[in-house]
Amino acid sequence: MATYKRLPVTFERGEGVWLWDIDGKRYLDALSGIAVCGLGHAHPGVRDAICEQAGLLTHTSNIYHIAEQERLGTMLNDLAGMDRVFFANSGAEANEAAIKLARLHAHRCGIENPAILVAENSFHGRTLATLSATGNRRAQAGFEPLVQGFVRVPYDDLDAIEIAAANRPNIVAILIEPIQGEGGIRIPADDYLARLRAICDREGWLLIFDEIQTGMGRTGRLFAHNHSGISPDVMTLAKGLGNGVPIGACLARGAAAEVLTPGSHGSTFGGNPLACRAGRAVLETIATEDLTANAARQGAYLLASFQEAFAEISGVVAIRGRGLMLGIELDRPCAELVGIALDSGLLINVTAERVIRLLPPLILTKPEADLLVQRLTECVQGFLGST
C-alpha cells in the first residue's frame, strides 16, 4: 500500500556508518534507520548472534519459558532499575502496553474514567491508542473517533501540569518523551523530568517515559532520563534495542510491575528467541565498546562543530542536541534538503517541517563526524542560498 513516499534509492548492503545502493554509490548514514541501527550496519556481534540463534530456535510461543527472553529481561531490568518487562515487536506496541497498564492500574484503584497526561507535539506511535496519545493533528486526521482518556498540555510546561492536576481528578499517569524526537529534537529544562517525578509522587500518578527514540545510548547515557538522576515507574523501549530486528519492551517497577497478569495482555511474536538474542547482543556491544561515552563525546563535538559552521548563517534559527540526537532548525520549511543531502551521499531527515534531524550510529568516529559536518553544511548553505 502507498503508505510511504519513498526516496529514489535502494540500498544493497551496509557496513558501519555506511550504506551502498544498488549502483554502488556510498552514503554516510546520519539517520540510523531513524535511531534503530545504533551499532551501525552489519555489526559482527549482532550478525553472529542472529545467525547462531536462527540455527537453534526462532519461535516457540509465550506459553512456554523462553531462556533468551529471560536473559534479556534480566539484563534490562538490572540496567534500568526495573522489576519486570513485557516484550513486544515495536515501539507502538510497547506504548500500548504502557497505556493498558496505566488504565488497568487505575480501574483497580477505583478510577472509572482514567486519563493520561500527554504533551503537545509528542509522538508515541500509529496504533489507535498511541496515535490518540500523539500530539500531531496531521497524523491523527481521518482516523476519528480517536481513543478517549488523554489530557494534552504543552511540553516543558510545569504550570500547565499543575493546572491539569487541580482540575482533572481522574488523571492517573504522565506519558512523556524525555526529549521530543519527531517533535523537532525538543530538549526540556534541566529540572523538568525531576519535577515531573515529584508531581507524580505527590499526586499518586505513574510516570511513564517513552524512551523509544532516546534510549539505548542515543543521548550519551543508556537512557535519557539518566541525565536527570530519577527513575520512571514505567519505561518503553524499541528502535535501537534490536539494531534492526523488530523488538519493543515495556518495563515497570514497584506496584506498576505487578499490574499486568496472565490473560491481561500478550503478544504472539513478542520476546521470541531471535529478537531477544539480538537485543542481548546490542546491550553487550554497547557495554564492551563503551558506546554511550562515544555518543556523548561525538555528540558534543558535532554540536560545537555545527554551531561554528552555522554561526554566520542567518537562516539557521537554532542548533540543539544531546548525545547523537541533534536538530538544526531553519527559518523555513526544508523537506527538500533530504533529497539534496541524498544526492551528496548523506542520509538525513527533516521533522516538524523545519528541523534537520540527525541520529547517526553510536559508533561514529571523529573523521566521520567531520565529513558529516562538511557535507551537511554545504547542503544547507546551498539550500538557503537558493530559497
Side-chain angles (χ1 to χ4, degrees):
M1 296 184 184
T3 54
Y4 300 95
K5 187 176 180 180
R6 302 183 194 273
L7 291 165
V9 64
T10 301
F11 296 111
E12 186 174 59
R13 65 185 181 92
E15 182 178 346
V17 303
W18 299 97
L19 284 166
W20 284 262
D21 68 17
I22 55 177
D23 297 317
K25 182 178 177 179
R26 190 174 77 153
Y27 301 78
L28 175 60
D29 186 358
L31 191 58
S32 304
I34 316 180
V36 169
C37 297
L39 307 188
H41 302 283
H43 188 283
V46 179
R47 176 199 65 204
D48 292 348
I50 292 172
C51 289
E52 180 184 9
Q53 188 61 47
L56 294 172
L57 193 65
T58 58
H59 179 80
T60 58
S61 160
N62 280 298
I63 64 175
Y64 310 108
H65 286 278
I66 300 173
E68 281 299 335
Q69 182 182 123
E70 293 169 4
R71 293 186 186 107
L72 178 59
T74 298
M75 289 180 70
L76 282 172
N77 284 329
D78 289 346
L79 290 166
M82 294 293 186
D83 297 325
R84 295 185 183 274
V85 56
F86 171 82
F87 286 108
N89 311 287
S90 67
E93 289 179 59
N95 280 337
E96 283 277 345
I99 292 167
K100 288 181 67 176
L101 186 157
R103 286 190 169 194
L104 186 57
H105 167 72
H107 284 292
R108 289 177 178 172
C109 292
I111 301 173
E112 293 185 1
N113 296 297
I116 298 173
L117 199 112
V118 293
E120 294 175 359
N121 299 314
S122 61
F123 187 86
H124 298 294
R126 293 186 182 274
T127 61
L128 271 177
T130 58
L131 184 66
S132 300
T134 289
N136 184 330
R137 183 57 197 149
R138 183 181 300 177
Q140 295 172 336
F143 297 106
E144 298 86 355
L146 297 175
V147 176
Q148 300 300 301
F150 297 100
V151 176
R152 201 171 311 284
V153 297
Y155 188 67
D156 196 19
D157 187 337
L158 291 162
D159 290 339
I161 293 175
E162 293 289 6
I163 292 171
N167 295 305
R168 297 293 297 265
N170 61 331
I171 293 174
V172 298
I174 295 177
L175 170 60
I176 205 88
E177 298 162 277
I179 296 172
Q180 286 192 333
E182 299 291 331
I185 314 298
R186 311 300 305 188
I187 303 173
D190 289 342
D191 65 344
Y192 181 63
L193 299 186
R195 293 180 68 180
L196 288 183
R197 176 72 274 174
I199 291 172
C200 286
D201 290 341
R202 184 192 74 206
E203 299 291 334
W205 299 346
L206 296 179
L207 179 59
I208 306 171
F209 284 153
D210 178 342
E211 290 256 19
I212 289 161
Q213 190 166 146
T214 57
M216 302 307 298
R218 172 61 49 192
T219 67
R221 300 290 296 272
L222 190 57
F223 310 114
H225 70 265
N226 293 150
H227 293 281
S228 300
I230 52 98
S231 296
D233 300 296
V234 180
M235 176 177 69
T236 55
L237 298 171
K239 288 190 179 288
L241 179 57
N243 209 62
V245 176
I247 184 171
C250 176
L251 294 85
R253 67 184 179 96
E258 308 304 322
V259 173
L260 297 179
T261 54
S264 62
H265 198 45
S267 171
T268 296
F269 296 108
N272 70 58
L274 185 68
C276 287
R277 184 64 188 93
R280 190 157 64 89
V282 168
L283 285 172
E284 291 167 350
T285 302
I286 288 174
T288 57
E289 297 185 10
D290 202 13
L291 294 182
T292 53
N294 189 63
R297 183 169 53 251
Q298 300 302 339
Y301 178 71
L302 281 173
L303 191 63
S305 299
F306 280 124
Q307 288 170 340
E308 180 180 356
F310 293 126
E312 304 300 324
I313 300 178
S314 59
V316 177
V317 174
I319 303 171
R320 302 183 286 269
R322 180 162 290 166
L324 289 174
M325 186 175 187
L326 299 101
I328 301 169
E329 184 174 351
L330 304 188
D331 63 358
R332 69 203 72 177
C334 57
E336 63 188 89
L337 262 171
V338 175
I340 294 171
L342 185 71
D343 290 340
S344 72
L346 177 64
L347 304 184
I348 64 168
N349 178 241
V350 168
T351 191
E353 295 188 344
R354 302 187 308 165
V355 181
I356 303 163
R357 177 169 51 167
L358 302 174
L359 302 163
L362 310 186
I363 60 171
L364 189 76
T365 64
K366 186 174 179 293
E368 292 162 348
D370 286 332
L371 185 58
L372 168 55
V373 173
Q374 175 194 335
R375 288 188 181 180
L376 185 59
T377 301
E378 291 172 354
C379 291
V380 172
Q381 287 176 328
F383 169 74
L384 292 174
S386 64
T387 58

